[in-house]
Amino acid sequence: MAEFQEIDRLWLRWYDVDGDWILTEAKQQRQRAESAEAQLQSLIRRLRESGIDPDRFLNG
């Protein structure tokens, strides 16, 4: 059982020729958003390590 668009049931999943699960569009978007957030947090951390206050740019 899995949930998709707030519907909990068994779902058919598609796989590519290499056996990798083909993600739904919603899952792809979620992964892109999570990746972008992780990159932003990494950049903020590196700026702070370099003595730059990122809040000065993000909130200004």
Side-chain angles (χ1 to χ4, degrees):
M1 297 289 281
E3 185 175 310
F4 176 70
Q5 295 185 349
E6 299 181 17
I7 301 171
D8 191 31
R9 61 170 292 169
L10 291 175
W11 294 98
L12 177 63
R13 292 189 170 180
W14 296 95
Y15 294 85
D16 64 16
V17 295
D18 296 322
D20 297 319
W21 179 39
I22 298 174
L23 302 176
T24 63
E25 184 176 331
K27 183 69 173 174
Q28 289 175 2
Q29 290 174 350
R30 193 174 315 117
Q31 284 188 345
R32 282 193 294 270
E34 290 170 356
S35 176
E37 179 66 25
Q39 289 175 349
L40 174 61
Q41 293 305 319
S42 176
L43 175 59
I44 288 171
R45 179 182 43 77
R46 288 184 291 166
L47 286 170
R48 285 192 173 121
E49 289 171 353
S50 298
I52 300 169
D53 179 11
D55 293 328
R56 185 172 149 217
F57 301 102
L58 297 174
N59 298 325

